[in-house]
Amino acid sequence: MPAEPKQQRALKTRDDILRGAALAFEDFGYKGASMREIAARSGVTLGAVYFHFAGKQELARAVILAQPDVMVPKLQSAGIQRLVDLTLVWAHEINANPVMRAAVRLAVEQQAHGIEEDTSFQEWEVLFRKWLEEARDEGELAPGASTGAVAEFMVGAMTGMQHHARLTGKINTLGDRVVRMWQLLLPGLTTPDVAARLDLDPRRGAA
């Protein structure tokens, strides 16, 4: 059997470390997750962890920034439905994927640990605005709907929803909370005919 290319092995090791770090951060938080614990969860040596990442802060930032890589490839729809589907996939992945759970937890709690990484929030806002502008070009937005204001609201709303759901021990209700967000948002965002054909079934997030 041919040897696995060196670059491919390195990428796999990095992915294993990210997942191991996510598991450790999810269970112990940033402060409680040691680099040795991360190495053990990753199935690699401590030296391998330090080869790929300079330290725990760099690892935490990498986990935070991994969110789009988890969700965007799962999206096949377009227009406003694409935005809806992204939020439903997000809700599903937070329940099913430890990388997503750790990323969101770290993003919310990061300042308490000396990390200031708002790139992920900015990237989501840029992405939301881009897709909203595409929806506007397709005639799906209501007159006067501000793509910037909606994108900013969505980032804040999604962050707040998951934080509240986690604090109250109801993270499994996140999909339903997302649907209620859209039910409130759509009348001011889009036209009635577009809203009527959108699929808000929370199960779309698992597709």
Side-chain angles (χ1 to χ4, degrees), residues 45 53 57 85 94 162 189 192 202:
T45 65
F53 298 95
Q57 280 198 358
D85 288 348
I94 285 180
Q162 69 79 26
L189 176 63

Side-chain angles (χ1 to χ4, degrees), residues 5 7 12 24 28 32 40 47 67 87 110 117-118 161 172 203:
Q7 184 178 12
K12 181 181 183 302
F28 303 110
Q67 296 176 72
T87 59
Q110 58 180 304
E117 178 56 75
D118 67 345
M161 278 192 296
N172 62 322
R203 291 172 294 182

